[in-house]
Amino acid sequence: MARGYYGLIKRDAATKQYEVEFPDLPGCVTVADSFVEAGESAVDALAGWIEAALDTGQEIPPPTDIQPAFKRARGASLVWVPAPPIKTKAVPVTISLREHLLEKIDRAAADEGMTRSSFITFHALQAAGQKAWARKVKSTGRRRSAA
């Protein structure tokens, strides 16, 4: 995941409030009464957007360079907002399978170059219609080859 995102801060002349917009993250916008509060609010908005994306299986786009022309067109100041650390702890789960079925799963996982846990997770997410998450599991769940 990205280490942070660019936010554009501009002050609304009518309300005197500061708005922070994240061009890379659709709908990620926040408003505050002061410039300092805008920074704090931006961190919260970014964390909330990423958390919601993770909960719904939405792709989190990488940050892009914000071109000076885009910044000027928006009449905004550019700030870098660090992304929150995402805590994803593996949780042990116990399931019961017949021994011969477990052997079949292990062979299939080995054939795909995956660990047992990644293989089961990948196929369970596929069955649940979470294809984007399944791709992430498959790309990170490869067996480490013996060096």
Side-chain angles (χ1 to χ4, degrees):
M1 189 176 90
R3 296 177 65 178
Y5 287 86
Y6 288 108
L8 298 175
I9 298 180
K10 63 181 176 181
R11 188 168 190 210
D12 185 286
T15 66
K16 307 287 189 224
Q17 291 183 314
Y18 292 86
E19 178 183 288
V20 183
E21 168 191 7
F22 292 88
D24 292 323
L25 307 173
C28 189
V29 179
T30 188
V31 177
D33 291 327
S34 73
F35 192 81
V36 171
E37 288 175 5
E40 294 167 356
S41 185
V43 170
D44 291 342
L46 178 58
W49 194 96
I50 291 172
E51 184 178 325
L54 289 171
D55 287 347
T56 60
Q58 180 180 346
E59 291 288 327
I60 300 173
T64 58
D65 287 334
I66 303 297
Q67 300 300 320
F70 181 80
K71 187 174 96 170
R72 278 193 302 277
R74 298 285 181 137
S77 299
L78 184 65
V79 294
W80 178 256
V81 180
I86 303 299
K87 297 176 184 173
T88 55
K89 181 177 104 175
V91 179
V93 177
T94 302
I95 61 172
S96 298
L97 298 170
R98 301 215 180 272
E99 192 172 356
H100 74 281
L101 296 176
L102 185 58
E103 290 169 0
K104 288 180 185 222
I105 289 170
D106 286 343
R107 275 196 305 276
D111 289 348
E112 290 189 33
M114 299 175 75
T115 64
R116 177 192 296 160
S117 292
S118 295
F119 181 84
I120 291 171
T121 302
F122 172 78
H123 287 284
L125 287 168
Q126 287 276 68
Q130 299 293 316
K131 296 192 184 332
W133 280 100
R135 282 192 301 275
K136 289 177 187 178
V137 167
K138 191 164 193 172
S139 68
T140 59
R142 299 284 180 197
R143 286 186 180 270
R144 288 180 172 61
S145 57

